[in-house]
Structures are given as structure tokens and as C-alpha cells.
Amino acid sequence: MDADPAALARAVVLRQLTNSPKSRLQLARKLAERNIPEDVAGAVLDRFEEVRLIDDAEFAQMWVRSRSQTRKLAKGALRRELAEKGIDEETAAGALEQVSDEDEEALARELVVRKLRNARGLEDRAERDKSVRRLVAMLARKGYQPSQAFRIVGEAVAAALEEADSDA
């Protein structure tokens, strides 16, 4: 006996939303994995949107807040992640407005300073260059622009060297 596809779809969506908030596209993909017919999936997802259990704008806001704070991601990386989750450009842009350029820069600086605390041998040019490359690469993976990453890392390394000189 086959279960009612709509009942199965509702159960799948509810279970997914219990674990964590999801975008409509993520839920549609889950339903497709479970071989729920597209028309049934669409109707169930429409109903969940009507009762505001699915809200891509709210999801995008939450995603940006969470990922910018916990992972220190730049707007570029956040925009890519939202697109992968099916969030349209306009909704993503609205959610990204909550991260100012100053906030983004402060998050990058915080990351770099934390990594530099354990850095050794910055006085040696080769070691310093290696640290700079690693730190810039880390920021690039988090979506920061190369020019911004080099500037922030350069300023932080200079400050670390000054601090080391004043301690000596």
C-alpha cells in the first residue's frame, strides 16, 4: 500500500524544518529525493509558505546573521551560499544589508589577529611572507576580496611586529 504522497511530503517537510530552518529550494530538493511528484511537492510547499513555515526572506536573514558571526564569512561568500540554497538575488541583497562594510572588516581583522597570536618567527622575512600568504588565503576562502585581505593582513602583521618589538 502506497502512502498518500501529500501526507508523505508534509511529513518530510516538517521533519526537515524541525532540524533547522530551510529554504524552499532545499525542501523541494528533499522532496524530489523522496520521489514526491512535482505538483504535489509544489502544492505542499505553497501551503507551508502560506502559513509562514517556509519564508525564504526570513531564512536568508537568519543565515546571514549566523554565518557572518560564527564563520566570519564575507558578503561574497554569504551571497554564494544563499544562491546555492535557492535564495534570489534581491532577497539575498536585503539580507546582506545587515552586514556593514565596517562589520565585515572587523570580522576579518578579528580572524587575522586571532591567528597571529600563535604565529612565530614573524621577524624572519620568509616566515612572515608564508604567514601572510596563509592568512590572505584563509580570508579569500571566506569570501574577502584580495585587496582587502592583503591590506588587513599587512596591517595586522605590522601591529604584531610592533608589539613584539615593544615587548623585547
Side-chain angles (χ1 to χ4, degrees), residues 43-104:
V44 168
L45 293 173
D46 287 346
R47 180 66 185 137
F48 273 74
E49 276 185 330
E50 281 175 33
V51 297
R52 297 193 42 82
L53 288 173
I54 300 173
D55 183 341
D56 280 357
E58 185 62 37
F59 170 81
Q61 292 283 335
M62 178 276 316
W63 187 263
V64 167
R65 265 192 315 275
S66 170
R67 301 287 285 178
S68 70
Q69 288 304 310
T70 60
R71 300 288 312 277
K72 313 282 190 243
L73 296 178
K75 290 181 207 173
L78 292 166
R79 185 176 288 109
R80 274 192 305 282
E81 287 186 352
L82 289 172
E84 289 167 10
K85 298 193 177 311
I87 305 300
D88 64 81
E89 283 184 38
E90 188 178 327
T91 303
L96 290 168
E97 285 177 4
Q98 60 190 314
V99 179
S100 71
D101 293 344
E102 293 78 23
D103 292 340
E104 187 177 80

Side-chain angles (χ1 to χ4, degrees), residues 72-76 99-109 112 135-136 139-140 142-156:
K72 313 282 190 243
L73 296 178
K75 290 181 207 173
V99 179
S100 71
D101 293 344
E102 293 78 23
D103 292 340
E104 187 177 80
E105 181 130 344
L107 291 171
R109 196 172 305 287
V112 170
L135 291 167
V136 168
L139 290 178
K142 292 185 175 288
Y144 292 89
Q145 294 299 317
S147 59
Q148 181 185 32
F150 274 107
R151 181 177 49 74
I152 290 169
V153 170
E155 290 168 1

